[in-house]
Amino acid sequence: MWRLGSWQRSGSSTLTVGPPPPPLDPNGDANALLTTGRIANYDGPQISVSDKMYVGSVYNISVYVRMQPVDSSSHVINMSLQTTYQGNTSYPGISSYPGITIPDDGQWHQIVVTNYTMGSNYDAGKAFLYLQTVPASGNDLTSFYIDDFQLKYVPPPVIQTNIPSIYQTFAQYFPVGAEVDTTDLSGPHAQLLTMHFNSLVSGNDFKWSNTEPSLGSYDYTNADAEVGLAVCHNMKVRGQNLVWATGAQTPSYAFGDGTNSAANQATVTANIQEHIQSEVEHFGSAVYAYDVVNEPIDPTQTDCLEHGPFYNVLGESYIDIAFKAARQYAPAGTKLFLNDYSTADPAKLACLVKVVQGMRARGVPIDAIGHENHNNINYPPVAAIKTAIDTVAAELPGIEQQVTELDESVYNAGDPVSNYGSNIPPAVLDEQGWLYNQYFNLFRAERHNLTGVTFWGMADDDTWLDGFPVARTDYPLPFDMGLQAKPAYWGIVNPDGNGIPGYGLKFALTSVKGTHTAQTWTVMATNGAVGPAYTTLITAFTLTQVFGAPCSATVTAPGGSFPVALGDIPTSGTATAQFTVTFKGCGPLAAFILQAPWTQATYHTGTLLGVADPALGLAF
């Protein structure tokens, strides 16, 4: 944390250090820095980072911002550098463009940029970090407070070499891959990649706009480097993608003039065929599978198809053209995929089956379906993922399946507001770990239906979810920002969850006191030695008579309702709950089965089972 007095104005603004109106920032600092009198968007507070940021080094940067005055609007704040080198001044951005939206609600909001690599040289004393506003148009000269600025050097990561390899763990099941870019081809990221994955897919470098930005002009430089690493390490390569149904990352020439005239249909058909021929022949047998058409399913349309620019010209035939070209030009045995997201959604799944059935009826050479699985921590249910895999297997016999773009956001589906910044709660990582455990136990069970699982990334230092659906810090992958194994990793490699906090949690009925008609039962939860058992709940407590003349048993939970919260149980610690049990009309032979289901971190579940004999006044 740097002193407020270290800041300077970057233009004609006025900087004032003093106590802000309540509330104080989350760290309780008495003073903050107020910037007023701004005359330009770039006019704001700046601080020298000369001799503090060095080219090639990595930094985590954060600052709290509070807009002034409160007017119920919002403003975009951008964090940038001003560097001068050999007389030339440049302004490289630090936060993603245009910046972070800050509501004008009188509250403090943290801007967090993780793993920023300093890429700008500068002359002595000529490097400054500053904050500015970036309106959609015109000027935004609002005043704002800042406080608790932090610039932290991130040492180069060292991967763990004494933990199980993910791909070797699943060698008897299916290959396990990761999405990469050229930054993953050397150093610790390359070490992590080759240790844990035996398949890769390029995040962007196979896409049309990257490989053929203008008709007949090809650039495979980055893609070749990624394939080269894979070949050297005997890794499989997936090609993603040849045709994107939405037109994303596709140069406009691919669509011709956009009309469905006969002449333009011929042009676009030729463009698709030429592009696919070029790409698949370039890579040859080094690529074993292609997502030939990406994200073509739209359940809101009566024909179940995305009405994107290719569709607008050619209708559904663009899919046929793409697959037939891929089959014609790719080496024999290359697997041809239709790839899409949200396949666990019932409407999307039904449309997927309908579209592929239609393709097969038309003789289109499709081999496989890719389930993207960009999931949230609360959606979709694991059972829905199983339904998607099983439905495809039943309705489309002979079609292979892969999970192609797996990640798991720590935010709930439909929540664009929450942002943990650099302070992800351990309880959330615990929950994520147990959910990943459920995913991979499902994938193990579905091994006869799955021929591969690919993560969309490797570690939290490089994930597309930091910018989607909004700019914020997400933590969706097996390894953390320092490339260290998270609870998610342990949930993946260990079917029983060993390594995830809460592993080894057990429940027992430890005490029964009272008469044969009214008793107090004590249930004890004992945690294992791995880590805290966060958010532990007893969700129900039932007694079902299994012997003797019919009678009744009534259970009353502490507090009068379920679930019963045992809270966060420390490592090797215990927690108890007492239930009141009353029996009415029970004879000497009455016996009951006790069932008390419990959850920990939402996805770690179990059930305490026991037998009760009210006549003897005991349960076990």
Side-chain angles (χ1 to χ4, degrees), residues 252-543:
S252 59
Y253 77 79
F255 321 125
D257 63 16
T259 70
N260 63 352
S261 68
N264 195 54
Q265 287 181 336
T267 295
V268 175
T269 297
N271 288 343
I272 293 172
Q273 293 169 332
E274 178 275 335
H275 174 71
I276 290 177
Q277 179 181 7
S278 168
E279 183 156 334
V280 301
E281 288 185 345
H282 175 84
F283 292 110
S285 60
V287 176
Y288 85 100
Y290 281 98
D291 293 331
V292 179
V293 178
N294 193 49
E295 300 177 355
I297 307 299
D298 183 354
T300 68
Q301 300 289 350
T302 57
D303 62 1
C304 288
L305 291 174
E306 169 71 38
H307 289 193
F310 290 110
Y311 180 97
N312 292 337
V313 176
L314 295 166
E316 70 179 358
S317 70
Y318 85 90
I319 298 175
D320 304 25
I321 292 165
F323 274 90
K324 289 177 180 178
R327 176 64 78 229
Q328 178 180 354
Y329 297 115
T334 304
K335 299 296 183 180
L336 306 183
F337 279 73
L338 184 153
N339 189 57
D340 220 316
Y341 62 93
S342 296
T343 57
D345 175 76
K348 190 76 170 274
L349 177 60
C351 274
L352 173 66
V353 170
K354 175 183 175 181
V355 167
V356 176
Q357 285 175 336
M359 293 171 62
R360 298 179 93 181
R362 298 192 303 273
V364 178
I366 179 173
D367 299 313
I369 285 172
H371 303 272
E372 291 187 10
N373 273 226
H374 292 297
N375 299 333
N376 292 83
I377 200 164
N378 71 326
Y379 185 86
V382 175
I385 300 174
K386 174 177 170 55
T387 296
I389 297 171
D390 291 346
T391 298
V392 169
E395 299 292 333
L396 300 169
I399 289 287
E400 292 186 18
Q401 300 182 72
Q402 292 188 3
V403 174
T404 55
E405 302 183 20
L406 177 63
D407 50 26
E408 183 195 313
S409 172
V410 294
Y411 302 105
N412 287 343
D415 174 9
V417 176
S418 299
N419 186 359
Y420 293 120
S422 58
N423 301 307
I424 180 72
V428 175
L429 296 179
D430 182 30
E431 183 177 351
Q432 183 190 53
W434 286 110
L435 181 53
Y436 261 120
N437 182 248
Q438 289 196 10
Y439 287 164
F440 275 83
N441 283 340
L442 169 64
F443 298 157
R444 287 180 179 92
E446 292 282 355
R447 60 187 177 274
H448 55 291
N449 289 325
L450 291 176
T451 61
V453 173
T454 299
F455 290 90
W456 204 246
M458 296 185 291
D460 294 336
D461 66 327
D462 185 9
T463 169
W464 75 295
L465 289 174
D466 281 350
F468 180 87
V470 295
R472 62 183 173 188
T473 308
D474 212 327
Y475 301 80
L477 293 162
F479 299 94
D480 66 18
M481 294 181 185
L483 311 189
Q484 305 302 292
K486 294 164 52 182
Y489 162 85
W490 294 107
I492 291 162
V493 298
N494 288 332
D496 62 359
N498 189 1
I500 312 174
Y503 171 75
L505 179 65
K506 296 180 180 179
F507 284 73
L509 186 63
T510 58
S511 173
V512 175
K513 295 180 179 180
T515 68
H516 70 281
T517 59
Q519 300 174 2
T520 299
W521 293 14
T522 301
V523 173
M524 176 179 289
T526 302
N527 190 22
V530 173
Y534 297 102
T535 322
T536 305
L537 305 172
I538 299 174
T539 58
F541 194 106
T542 61
L543 291 172

Side-chain angles (χ1 to χ4, degrees), residues 14-30:
T14 299
L15 304 184
T16 305
V17 176
L24 299 178
D25 76 31
N27 292 311
D29 297 329

Side-chain angles (χ1 to χ4, degrees), residues 78-156:
N78 178 275
M79 183 187 297
S80 293
L81 291 171
Q82 175 184 319
T83 58
T84 301
Y85 182 60
Q86 297 180 348
N88 297 312
T89 300
S90 58
Y91 302 90
I94 296 176
S95 54
S96 57
Y97 186 84
I100 309 299
T101 299
I102 305 293
D104 204 341
D105 57 3
Q107 302 299 313
W108 290 96
H109 298 272
Q110 189 180 33
I111 295 174
V112 177
V113 178
T114 56
N115 294 292
Y116 175 76
T117 301
M118 180 64 171
S120 301
N121 284 306
Y122 55 87
D123 299 327
K126 296 294 185 179
F128 298 90
L129 180 150
Y130 67 99
L131 299 174
Q132 63 180 335
T133 49
V134 184
S137 62
N139 292 314
D140 180 358
L141 307 181
T142 188
S143 302
F144 57 89
Y145 285 97
I146 65 168
D147 204 0
D148 194 19
F149 171 78
Q150 297 187 41
L151 172 69
K152 295 182 178 179
Y153 168 69
V154 180

Side-chain angles (χ1 to χ4, degrees), residues 20-38:
L24 299 178
D25 76 31
N27 292 311
D29 297 329
N31 291 318
L33 181 70
L34 175 64
T35 302
T36 57
R38 303 173 62 236

